[in-house]
C-alpha cells in the first residue's frame, strides 16, 4: 500500500492499487500532516482496511490526516482512525467517487459531487457535510451516524437498511430522501 510516516503527500491518479494490508497507511505526530489525494483510482485491500490513520506515537495525538477521494475513484475497505486524538484529526472527502466500507473515528466527512458511500458501519464524531451536487448513502443493515449533519445539497438514502443520525442536524438545509 501507500504509506506516510510523519509528514507527506501521496497523489494517485488512475490505475489501481490492491494491497494485502491497508491500502493507505498514515502515522503522524507532532502536528505533522499526512495527505492522500486519490483521483480516478481503484483501491482495495485484502485486509479490509482502506485507510489506517494513527497518531499515537506522540503523547499529544496531534497529527492531521486527510484523504481526498475524487473524480471517479472507487475504494473498498474501512477507514479507521486509531489511537489517541487530542489535538489531531482526520478528514475524508468523497467527491464524485464511491466508497464501500465503514468509517471509524473520522472527525470531518464531506460527501459531494454525487458521491456514493456504501456504509457498512459508522463511528464518526464531528461533522458530515453534504456538499455541492449532493450524495447517496447506501445501507444494507442499520447504520447509526453519530455526527452533526451540515450542508445545503440533497442526501439520498439507498438500500434496504435503516440510516439514522444521532448528532444535530441544525446546519443541514438540503433535502433528505
Amino acid at each position: 500500500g501507500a504509506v506516510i510516516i510523519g509528514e507527506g503527500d501521496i497523489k494517485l491518479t488512475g490505475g489501481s492499487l490492491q494491497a494485502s494490508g491497508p491500502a493507505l497507511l498514515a502515522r503522524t505526530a507532532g502536528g505533522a500532516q499526512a495527505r492522500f489525494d486519490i483521483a480516478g483510482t481503484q483501491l482495495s485491500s485484502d485486509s479490509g482496511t482502506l485507510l489506517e490513520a494513527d497518531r499515537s506515537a506522540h503523547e499529544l495525538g496531534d497529527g492531521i490526516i486527510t484523504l481526498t477521494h475524487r473524480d471517479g475513484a472507487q475504494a473498498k475497505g474501512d477507514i479507521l482512525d486509531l489511537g489517541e486524538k487530542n489535538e489531531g484529526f482526520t478528514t475524508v472527502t468523497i467527491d464524485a467517487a464511491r466508497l464501500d466500507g465503514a468509517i471509524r473515528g473520522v472527525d470531518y466527512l464531506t460527501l459531494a459531487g454525487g458521491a456514493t458511500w456504501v456504509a457498512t458501519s459508522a463511528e464518526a464524531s464531528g461533522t458530515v457535510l453534504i456538499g455541492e451536487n449532493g450524495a447517496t448513502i447506501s445501507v444494507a443493515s442499520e447504520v447509526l451516524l453519530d455526527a452533526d449533519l451540515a450542508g445545503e445539497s440533497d442526501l439520498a438514502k439507498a438500500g434496504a437498511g435503516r440510516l439514522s443520525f444521532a448528532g444535530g442536524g441544525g446546519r443541514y438545509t438540503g433535502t433528505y430522501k
Side-chain angles (χ1 to χ4, degrees):
V3 178
I4 298 174
I5 305 294
E7 184 160 282
D9 295 278
I10 291 179
K11 294 182 180 189
L12 300 174
T13 303
S16 63
L17 173 64
Q18 172 70 39
S20 58
L24 307 171
L25 176 65
R27 300 269 189 265
T28 63
Q33 295 187 30
R35 293 176 289 276
F36 296 95
D37 183 359
I38 313 300
T41 304
Q42 300 220 3
L43 299 175
S44 61
S45 166
D46 294 339
S47 71
T49 301
L50 174 65
L51 169 64
E52 182 178 306
D54 189 357
R55 61 194 54 74
S56 63
H58 193 274
E59 63 201 36
L60 295 178
D62 60 353
I64 299 168
I65 300 166
T66 303
L67 168 61
T68 302
H69 186 64
R70 61 186 174 87
D71 299 339
Q74 296 186 25
K76 289 186 179 179
D78 300 338
I79 296 174
L80 306 175
D81 189 327
L82 309 171
E84 289 295 318
K85 292 187 300 183
N86 296 321
E87 298 291 323
F89 55 89
T90 297
T91 65
V92 175
T93 299
I94 311 295
D95 187 357
R98 179 182 170 118
L99 170 65
D100 292 29
I103 291 181
R104 182 176 131 206
V106 170
D107 295 282
Y108 304 99
L109 171 63
T110 299
L111 301 168
T116 298
W117 174 28
V118 179
T120 55
S121 72
E123 291 178 29
S125 60
T127 301
V128 175
L129 173 67
I130 308 303
E132 189 174 335
N133 296 319
T136 299
I137 300 176
S138 180
V139 292
S141 60
E142 183 163 353
V143 172
L144 174 63
L145 192 54
D146 188 10
D148 292 328
L149 185 62
E152 299 176 353
S153 294
D154 293 344
L155 173 60
K157 183 257 178 200
R162 177 185 168 120
L163 177 63
S164 302
F165 296 93
R171 296 184 306 139
Y172 180 65
T173 58
T175 302
Y176 176 67
K177 33 185 172 169

